[in-house]
Amino acid sequence: MKALLDRNKRLQIEALKGLIKASGVLGLDPTRYKNALKAIAPRPIAKNESKKRTKSSAKPSASIQRHPSSAKTSKKPKLLKLEIKNGRLALVFDSRVDKKSITHFILERKGRVLYVYDFKNVRIPFSIKRYRGGTFKEIRIAQFDPKRVRVVIETAKAYKPKLRDAYKTVTITLPGYSKKEKKSEAAKVSPKSASTTAVPAAFRASFGKKSYTVVIDPGHGGKDAGAVGYKKRKEKDAVLAVAKRLKKVLQKRGFQVYLTRSRDVFIPLKKRTKFANRKKADFFISIHANAAPKSGNRYKSKGLETFFLSPAKSKRAKRVAAIENSVDVSDLNRYTKETYLSLINNKKMVESNKLAIDLQKQILSSLRRKYRGVVDNGVREGPFWVLVGAQMPAVLIEIGYITHPTEGPRLFNPNYQNLIAEGIANGIESYIYHSR
Ligand SMILES: [Zn+2]
């Protein structure tokens, strides 16, 4: 019995030593493993208990603090009245609302279209209100963060809403609105307070939150060109261009955005997530382009796929991971790699998986609005070292095959790049909307 305990302890100490070493190589904080090692060294522990200890100590200390900022409420226009009639939503404020302070975007998902309007620096005298009925599915108005009020019009079918601002009143047309329609009956709507219906997750989650932070990671750079594709064009250039466009789109929507590189420079993998952790990012999005294997029909493979980190070792995941995992992790021995992968935090893996699903869906839907033949290669999991150590939902997007004769050039087309950026931004919004 004593021999068995000793053996377990020895294995555990070995594992922890491996983790401390891996942390060093990957640029992670090894403190928790060092502490765990200290903790098990002086006294023997029963098998189950010791297992638990290692697991819990391996969890990232990633509860990112979200400080509600004290919003200044002095001069912001305040909402006085809210009306839904004659096919329009009217918001009446006590002072002038600048149209420039309103941003708009659309989210699509199965059977639902969400028209989102963000009002910067206005006040509402409630935290959330929901209305149902009429020609729309639901309208929600809520304080999205201290600086923004978000209005969401949810419909079953797409339509073209028009926004008008007339001094203190902002109106948005609803589905079925027509100019001819004069004084028709007011839509049958029933206001429901947040206490009686479930509050949409995103509104709750973002309450009192300053804004979400996204770290975008354009793959490769500098001496590392990434995949080289059709007409010798390089992955590192395409993904940097997409990343820059994504930054603009996200900033417009109120996100705090950082790039791991904004120039053609080489950055080791471990520094990329380290940077995201330091920025306390809520999301880590690594952008890459795929390349078909040289064997077989090289010009046939196309389409996009989104990966999240997991110990999975499917043939396909292995192949892509082998391309994307660069030299700077090859000095880890197999044992250390396996140990590390076996300890990937499960909750984070699930979150990353969900984020990947939303991203994949939204990028496809954005591209397919304008382009034909965009192939969905789905959401996949794999051992991507650039995602290891991220303390937030983290994904790697392969935006397309740089080796494909049609798709390759598209990846360098500004219009195509913008649609990818829009899709990624929609995916992040969609995840926030769904989460928690
Ligand atoms: Zn790549």
Side-chain angles (χ1 to χ4, degrees), residues 414-431:
N415 188 29
Y416 201 78
Q417 290 174 344
N418 272 333
L419 290 173
I420 293 174
E422 289 282 342
I424 296 174
N426 290 349
I428 294 171
E429 291 271 359
S430 181
Y431 171 85

Side-chain angles (χ1 to χ4, degrees), residues 219-220 226-227 235 287-289 323-324 398:
H220 314 278
E235 175 185 357
I287 302 176
H288 288 256
I323 302 173
E324 302 298 5
E398 295 282 357

